[in-house]
């Protein structure tokens, strides 16, 4: 080997040794680890946690993928036979007594539609309706009416059962072309009861319903019995009390209805109003405890939803243009608005009467008459007919000398025109003599029963003090 070659090899070894020495003493970046010193840094803990989490996810997911890829395992299925209850013998043999289907009539349903739903032929329906006494009960069906059909397994109608009235149930058996009728008597028991309640935080209607009064009873209290004495929109307050005596109808342990209110009391504040039902001259009315009718002789305004357009007295006629006496009052209302009889009366005149146009005149007796003019048409009334207070005798119009649709209403006493808005109305005729004695004998037990019930219910309680009302003395 030459001297130059050996020198170059020596130089190469020296350079490599110098590079190693420089690498060993080069400074290391701070973010690299200087080696484990016995304690992990925060970054090392975070890195270890991340690696552990990824490892657990891989361990959980990979077996699932493996299960999906693997062949599905067949699952064995087993069937179990369940024993059903046996069909009743009567139904198997088609015997009566175990195949009745009860139908409750819904609103709008007819007997024909019920037969059609049950797949009963129309000829069978016609045969039943042709049976004597059947058609009236089955052609005027009310919602809730119960009708039962004896339909065996083969589907042929064997019998039908329905109520002819409250106390008689009829069963019609179809035997070939014959219909055999069986009437079952269902006795109805009348129970005289007292229903009492107190107005709480809710309305009168809610309190009355809670006490057991039906909607028709509540309407009778507010719109018939006490409407002349109590303003049910303004006068009622919490703590007011009411009681009614009614006859309830019971049949086979079930209440099926109630009769009219026989007696009633309504206590507002410290005043108690009473009402007792009594028939006078064949007509039922309500009277106070001393025999005075609750219904007033006359209605102040014989037309609903109207406005006063012209008063009583001298004025210039809107059509003739002359100054003349206006002998009544005018109520403006739409054409066709019903006009009511102001009181019980006999119809004296129905027809056309000059400038009044279509007119009805009523004679109320004791010298009192009323006139209703400018009608568009008459009600179902004729001269000589008796009409009750509130009966519709005609409808608003503009017949005769009228500039627009309105009612012209006149009130006369012994032929003298009086202002209907200010005249003192005559009091109704009270009961007298033997009639008054019979009334008291009939109503005394009802009042005593109400007082007994109220003493039990409200013992030791006092109604809350009444709040003063503005505008009242």
């Amino acid at each position: 080997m030459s001297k130059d070659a050996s020198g170059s090899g020596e130089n190469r070894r020296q350079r490599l040794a110098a590079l190693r020495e420089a690498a060993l003493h080069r400074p290391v970046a701070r973010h690299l680890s200087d080696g484990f010193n016995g304690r992990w840094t925060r970054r090392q803990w975070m890195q270890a946690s991340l690696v552990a989490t990824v490892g657990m996810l891989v361990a959980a997911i990979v077996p699932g993928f493996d299960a999906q890829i693997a062949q599905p395992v067949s699952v064995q299925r087993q069937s179990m036979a369940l024993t059903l209850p046996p069909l009743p013998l009567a139904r198997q043999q088609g015997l009566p007594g175990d195949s009745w289907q009860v139908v409750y009539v819904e609103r709008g349903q007819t007997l024909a539609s019920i037969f059609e739903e049950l797949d009963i032929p129309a000829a069978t329906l016609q045969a039943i309706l042709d049976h004597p006494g059947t058609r009236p009960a089955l052609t005027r069906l009310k919602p809730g009416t119960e009708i039962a059909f004896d339909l065996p397994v083969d589907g042929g109608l064997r019998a039908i059962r329905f109520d002819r009235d409250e106390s008689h149930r009829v069963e019609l058996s179809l035997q070939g072309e014959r219909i055999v009728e069986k009437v079952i008597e269902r006795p109805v028991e009348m129970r005289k009861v007292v229903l009492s309640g107190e107005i709480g935080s809710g309305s009168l209607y809610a309190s009355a319903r809670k006490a057991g009064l039906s909607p028709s009873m509540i309407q009778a209290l507010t719109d018939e019995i006490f409407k002349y004495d109590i303003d049910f929109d303004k006068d009622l307050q919490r703590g007011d009390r009411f009681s009614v005596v009614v006859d309830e109808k019971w049949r086979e342990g079930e209440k099926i209805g109630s009769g009219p209110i026989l007696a009633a009391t309504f206590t507002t504040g410290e005043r108690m109003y009473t009402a007792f039902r009594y028939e006078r001259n064949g007509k039922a009315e309500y009277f106070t405890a001393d025999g005075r009718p609750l219904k007033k002789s006359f209605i102040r305004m014989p037309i609903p939803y109207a406005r006063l357009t012209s008063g009583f007295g001298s004025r210039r006629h809107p059509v003739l243009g002359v100054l003349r006496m206006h002998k009544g009052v005018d109520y403006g209302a739409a054409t066709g608005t019903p006009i009511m009889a102001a009181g019980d009366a006999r119809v004296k005149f129905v027809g056309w009467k000059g400038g009044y146009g279509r007119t009805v005149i009523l004679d109320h007796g004791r010298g009192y008459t009323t006139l209703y003019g400018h009608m568009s048409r008459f009600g179902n009334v004729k001269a000589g007919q008796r009409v009750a207070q509130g009966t519709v005798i005609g409808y608003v119009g503009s017949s005769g000398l009228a500039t627009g649709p309105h009612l012209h209403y006149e009130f006369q006493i012994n032929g003298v025109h009086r202002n209907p808005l200010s005249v003192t109305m005559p009091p109704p005729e009270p009961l007298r003599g033997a009639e008054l004695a019979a009334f008291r004998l009939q109503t005394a037990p009802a009042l005593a029963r109400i007082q007994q019930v109220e003493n039990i219910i409200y013992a030791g309680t006092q109604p809350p003090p009444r709040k003063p009302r503005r505008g009242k003395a």
Side-chain angles (χ1 to χ4, degrees):
M1 180 180 296
S2 65
K3 185 177 181 178
D4 294 336
S6 61
S8 62
E10 183 65 26
N11 292 336
R12 188 181 297 111
R13 283 192 295 271
Q14 291 177 356
R15 286 197 299 270
L16 289 173
L19 289 173
R20 275 195 217 97
E21 186 68 21
L24 290 174
H25 293 86
R26 181 183 300 171
V28 181
R30 296 185 61 86
H31 64 277
L32 296 177
S33 175
D34 292 333
F36 182 67
N37 58 3
R39 296 183 60 186
W40 284 11
T41 64
R42 179 180 298 178
R43 178 175 297 276
Q44 289 170 333
W45 277 110
M46 291 176 62
Q47 291 172 349
S49 299
L50 179 60
V51 171
T53 302
V54 172
M56 286 189 292
L57 288 174
V58 171
I61 294 174
V62 171
F65 278 72
D66 181 66
Q68 293 293 331
I69 297 173
Q71 288 289 344
V73 179
S74 61
V75 179
Q76 294 183 355
R77 297 183 180 181
Q78 296 180 349
S79 299
M80 180 180 297
L82 297 177
T83 304
L84 296 177
L87 194 66
L89 182 62
R91 195 157 179 83
Q92 293 179 22
Q93 298 177 353
L95 299 177
D98 200 45
S99 52
W100 285 99
Q101 297 187 26
V102 180
V103 174
Y104 295 94
V105 178
E106 299 178 358
R107 187 174 300 276
Q109 266 190 324
T110 62
L111 189 64
S113 64
I114 295 174
F115 269 61
E116 184 178 355
E117 291 177 8
L118 296 175
D119 293 327
I120 303 174
T124 304
L125 169 62
Q126 190 60 47
I128 292 173
L129 292 178
D130 289 341
H131 185 76
T134 301
R135 186 177 294 271
L138 291 178
T139 54
R140 294 191 293 267
L141 299 176
K142 297 180 179 179
T145 300
E146 176 185 323
I147 306 176
F149 298 86
D150 184 9
L151 286 168
V153 176
D154 60 10
L157 180 64
R158 194 160 41 200
I160 182 173
R161 188 174 63 208
F162 59 91
D163 291 336
R164 178 170 290 169
D165 51 45
E166 288 182 345
S167 56
H168 295 91
R169 172 164 285 180
V170 177
E171 184 176 311
L172 301 179
S173 299
L174 282 67
Q175 301 177 4
E177 296 184 356
R178 294 175 58 242
I179 295 181
V180 179
E181 178 180 306
K182 177 183 177 182
V183 179
I184 305 169
E185 188 171 355
R186 309 175 72 193
V188 176
E189 177 190 359
M190 304 299 292
R191 302 179 185 176
K192 200 176 298 293
V193 299
V194 178
L195 305 175
S196 185
E198 184 177 46
I199 300 178
S201 57
S203 63
L204 168 62
Y205 185 87
S207 301
R209 290 291 287 152
K210 184 178 179 181
L213 275 69
S214 66
S216 60
M217 292 181 194
I218 301 171
Q219 184 177 12
L221 276 181
T222 59
D223 298 348
E224 180 182 358
I225 300 175
F226 293 120
K227 73 174 183 178
Y228 296 98
D229 298 309
I230 303 173
D231 187 336
F232 286 95
D233 291 328
K234 299 178 181 177
D235 290 346
L236 300 187
Q237 291 192 18
R238 185 171 181 173
D240 289 347
R241 300 169 182 171
F242 54 88
S243 297
V244 300
V245 178
V246 295
D247 281 332
E248 291 184 343
K249 300 178 184 179
W250 287 76
R251 184 183 62 200
E252 299 173 357
E254 178 186 5
K255 190 178 81 168
I256 61 173
S258 301
I261 293 177
L262 303 177
T265 62
F266 210 107
T267 304
T268 59
E270 298 179 354
R271 182 171 182 181
M272 183 175 73
Y273 298 90
T274 60
F276 300 91
R277 192 173 189 268
Y278 184 75
E279 287 193 8
R280 177 167 63 172
N281 300 325
K283 181 181 178 182
E285 300 179 53
Y286 287 95
F287 298 82
T288 63
D290 56 0
R292 296 186 176 277
L294 287 174
K295 186 180 78 173
K296 300 299 184 280
S297 296
F298 290 89
I299 302 173
R300 276 290 174 189
M301 193 170 74
I303 179 174
Y305 318 118
R307 67 189 187 282
L308 183 69
T309 57
S310 185
F312 182 86
S314 182
R315 66 161 191 177
R316 188 172 299 278
H317 196 279
V319 177
L320 300 177
V322 296
L323 193 67
R324 61 190 298 182
M325 180 68 178
H326 190 228
K327 299 179 180 180
V329 294
D330 293 344
Y331 292 105
T335 299
T337 301
I339 301 168
M340 301 174 291
D344 297 342
R346 179 181 61 84
V347 180
K348 184 177 180 180
F349 176 84
V350 178
W352 191 277
K353 189 175 177 63
Y356 291 108
R358 294 183 184 87
T359 303
V360 172
I361 300 177
L362 301 181
D363 181 1
H364 302 275
R366 294 184 290 168
Y368 293 89
T369 60
T370 53
L371 179 147
Y372 313 78
H374 303 309
M375 293 182 178
S376 60
R377 59 189 176 94
F378 301 114
N380 188 23
V381 295
K382 58 183 179 181
Q385 176 184 346
R386 300 290 304 184
V387 294
Q389 185 184 80
T391 301
V392 176
I393 58 175
Y395 301 87
V396 169
S398 53
S399 59
L401 295 177
T403 57
H406 70 280
L407 166 67
H408 175 77
Y409 175 55
E410 293 184 5
F411 193 96
Q412 295 184 39
I413 303 177
N414 296 323
V416 179
H417 288 85
R418 305 291 295 273
N419 185 352
L421 303 180
S422 59
V423 66
T424 301
M425 296 295 185
E429 285 288 333
L431 298 173
R432 291 188 174 90
E435 199 169 38
L436 178 59
F439 166 78
R440 287 175 173 168
L441 185 64
Q442 174 183 316
T443 58
L447 181 59
R449 193 162 185 175
I450 288 177
Q451 292 174 338
Q452 180 183 12
V453 169
E454 289 194 351
N455 288 339
I456 295 174
I457 296 177
Y458 308 115
T461 64
Q462 293 293 331
R466 305 281 289 184
K467 296 180 181 179
R469 299 188 182 278
R470 297 179 180 178
K472 290 189 177 182

